[in-house]
Amino acid sequence: IGHFSAQRLVQGGVLGLVATWVYLGLFPGSALLTAAAVAVAAVLMALSSRMTDRGWIKYIGAGLSFITLPLMLWGNIPALFAAILMVGLFFGPANVALSGYFYKNVPKDQTEKLIGIQGSMFNTAISMGYGVFSFLAGLYKPVFPGMLLPISIIFALVGLVFLFAPRF
């Protein structure tokens, strides 16, 4: 669009939404914290655009590790939002990279089977996750922040698997 790519316009829109959210909701009226949040978002965008598919898969554990942030800063709403942002920042691209890898490496006549298998595995993982989280929730009173420690350990183990998985 003119001299700007659509990607740059979307990035500008996201930065505008970050500024609006921080200034009006997260830290009402704080221009300094709004500027800092926009700067962090711009840096994250710049860094994430340099990451390869292999990098997203390999370093998903780095993103998952941010789940410990609310545990360390319990009750701090901005820390909770930052943790969710960082987990999503790594999980989304890693998920797309894995899906792309699967689709590129399956014969064209097997694509439908792959979609079915991938969907079944995803649903199984979600069901197992609900079961594990329900079990863990029953162990802790109150559920949070206590449950964040085992979740952090599980996420660290998953992160280690993905850190070494690209070698294989």
Side-chain angles (χ1 to χ4, degrees):
I1 303 173
H3 297 295
F4 298 101
S5 69
Q7 179 182 356
R8 293 286 179 236
L9 291 175
V10 169
Q11 288 174 334
V14 168
L15 293 175
L17 289 172
V18 167
T20 303
W21 174 54
V22 171
Y23 190 78
L24 297 177
L26 200 53
F27 297 106
S30 176
L32 182 62
L33 289 175
T34 299
V38 170
V40 167
V43 167
L44 288 173
M45 282 182 194
L47 291 175
S48 66
S49 69
R50 298 177 197 271
M51 188 84 84
T52 64
D53 285 350
R54 182 183 172 113
W56 284 117
I57 294 167
K58 186 174 179 180
Y59 295 112
I60 191 172
L64 293 177
S65 70
F66 277 90
I67 199 68
T68 59
L69 196 58
L71 180 62
M72 293 184 294
L73 300 170
W74 185 248
N76 185 315
I77 299 301
L80 176 64
F81 285 130
I84 293 168
L85 170 78
M86 293 307 292
V87 169
L89 176 70
F90 280 80
F91 176 76
N95 186 36
V96 170
L98 282 171
S99 293
Y101 174 79
F102 289 137
Y103 288 118
K104 282 191 289 192
N105 291 294
V106 71
K108 297 293 181 208
D109 62 332
Q110 300 292 317
T111 304
E112 295 85 9
K113 289 180 185 177
L114 174 72
I115 291 170
I117 291 169
Q118 190 177 20
S120 295
M121 289 178 68
F122 183 74
N123 288 332
T124 301
I126 288 174
S127 297
M128 289 180 67
Y130 279 132
V132 168
F133 281 85
S134 295
F135 171 75
L136 290 174
L139 297 177
Y140 295 96
K141 301 291 184 229
V143 174
F144 288 106
M147 196 169 133
L148 283 175
L149 181 60
I151 292 171
S152 297
I153 292 168
I154 291 167
F155 279 14
L157 293 173
V158 168
L160 286 173
V161 167
F162 278 96
L163 180 63
F164 296 108
R167 293 181 186 171
F168 305 106

